[in-house]
Amino acid sequence: MKSIAVFSIKGGVGKSATAVNLAHAAATTGGRRTLLWDLDSQGAATYLLKLLPKTGVKARAAVSGEVPISELVLQTEFPNLHVLPADKSLRRLEGDLAQSDKLKLLRKHLKALAADYDRIIIDCPPGLSELADRLFRAVDLIVMPSIPSPLSSRAADQLRVELQRSHEGKPPILPLWSMADGRRKLHRDSIALHPDWPIIPYASAVESMAVHQAPVAVVQPRSPAARAFAGLWAAVEAELRKN
Ligand SMILES: Nc1ncnc2c1ncn2[C@@H]1O[C@H](COP(=O)(O)OP(=O)(O)OP(=O)(O)O)[C@@H](O)[C@H]1O
Ligand SMILES: [Mg+2]
């Protein structure tokens, strides 16, 4: 099993869109047993897959180990794709994770889930929080979307410095350009600084995921955005093979 955190210090950069489309690609094109773990109390990834928070089991109780995490799992309409849904209770998860006996909790969950899944993709809330710190200790790869701007490559560098400082440079980061708009000079100039990063275009197909509550490969399978996410999935798999 390989685990991937879709993370950024910044909000609104396309993390949830990326997590959902990567998870769908892993499960369908990749044929991997895939779990999308929504760790953001906003529940955007859960919503984008047409799911509701699980009734009877609070996400916080399952993640903090009060009830077995398997009880939180939901099936999606797609083969091979399951979800650990989010709900508002996750707003208080940070406090739980700070307790000394829970430092390795996320790692333990991932280990336990490894028997059932080949790929676990985690949609993270923004920010360098306690939760992010715990995740960095547990996952195999960080996928980091950035909207093209001169500050974006600085954010990637800052995250690398942070990982070097507190996690011996692990896990590796796969940065990508998100919502890239080729008509804007600032976007073109920023992308030119890192032309090797995968590019997801700014596209109405991605916006309409929220209307149809489905991945872009379902909403508009032939769109450039769908192709871009398929390419991103291939890049993620290639990165995972390196480690
Ligand atoms: N490639 C894209 N083209 C156009 N719109 C996009 C694209 N990616 C994301 N969006 C839109 O931008 C908004 C933010 O996207 P998303 O929720 O994925 O970001 P996020 O980083 O998860 O945000 P948050 O930090 O709040 O969790 C959403 O309205 C989404 O539909
Ligand atoms: Mg999000």
Side-chain angles (χ1 to χ4, degrees):
M1 190 280 290
K2 297 284 186 191
S3 52
I4 300 132
V6 182
F7 172 82
S8 168
I9 295 169
K10 292 179 183 244
V13 295
K15 296 182 293 298
S16 298
T18 301
V20 167
N21 288 311
L22 285 182
H24 181 260
T28 54
T29 332
R32 308 274 192 186
R33 294 170 305 162
T34 305
L35 180 68
L36 174 65
W37 188 352
D38 189 351
L39 266 177
D40 188 344
S41 61
Q42 294 180 92
T46 304
Y47 177 85
L48 288 172
L49 284 171
K50 225 180 275 175
L51 297 171
L52 294 168
K54 183 129 183 179
T55 45
V57 188
K58 285 277 172 242
R60 178 191 172 200
V63 178
S64 66
E66 284 162 31
V67 295
I69 196 140
S70 55
E71 288 186 16
L72 189 66
V73 173
L74 292 173
Q75 297 212 358
T76 68
E77 62 188 276
F78 307 107
N80 289 327
L81 181 56
H82 292 177
V83 172
L84 280 172
D87 59 46
K88 288 182 186 139
S89 67
L90 287 178
R91 280 189 290 210
R92 295 197 309 269
L93 184 65
E94 291 279 327
D96 300 340
L97 292 177
Q99 292 166 25
S100 57
D101 60 328
K102 303 226 160 128
L103 290 182
K104 294 186 178 157
L105 195 63
L106 295 177
R107 193 145 59 168
K108 274 193 206 153
H109 283 319
L110 289 174
K111 236 179 170 176
L113 291 162
D116 294 322
Y117 298 100
D118 306 310
R119 296 290 178 266
I120 299 181
I121 296 170
I122 303 166
D123 185 23
C124 304
L128 270 177
S129 56
E130 201 88 47
L131 172 63
D133 183 77
R134 299 291 179 273
L135 277 171
F136 297 162
R137 288 169 201 278
V139 299
D140 297 298
L141 180 68
I142 297 173
V143 168
M144 186 181 128
S146 298
I147 299 173
S149 95
L151 284 177
S152 307
S153 23
R154 250 189 94 222
D157 290 340
Q158 281 170 335
L159 180 58
R160 278 206 183 84
V161 169
E162 170 63 21
L163 292 175
Q164 203 64 52
R165 193 181 62 80
S166 49
H167 301 281
E168 296 170 351
K170 283 186 190 146
I173 308 173
L174 175 68
L176 66 114
W177 295 118
S178 175
M179 305 189 214
D181 184 350
R183 293 165 302 183
R184 296 173 65 174
K185 183 171 183 310
L186 186 72
H187 280 212
R188 292 196 305 275
D189 291 349
S190 305
I191 290 169
L193 297 174
H194 291 286
D196 51 321
W197 293 3
I199 300 173
I200 304 298
Y202 186 88
S204 58
V206 183
E207 286 175 310
S208 63
M209 286 173 66
V211 178
H212 300 282
Q213 291 185 272
V216 74
V218 172
V219 174
Q220 286 191 37
R222 284 176 223 285
S223 61
R227 277 202 303 276
F229 277 114
L232 177 62
W233 177 246
V236 167
E237 283 287 329
E239 190 64 41
L240 290 173
R241 278 195 294 273
K242 283 189 205 164
N243 303 297

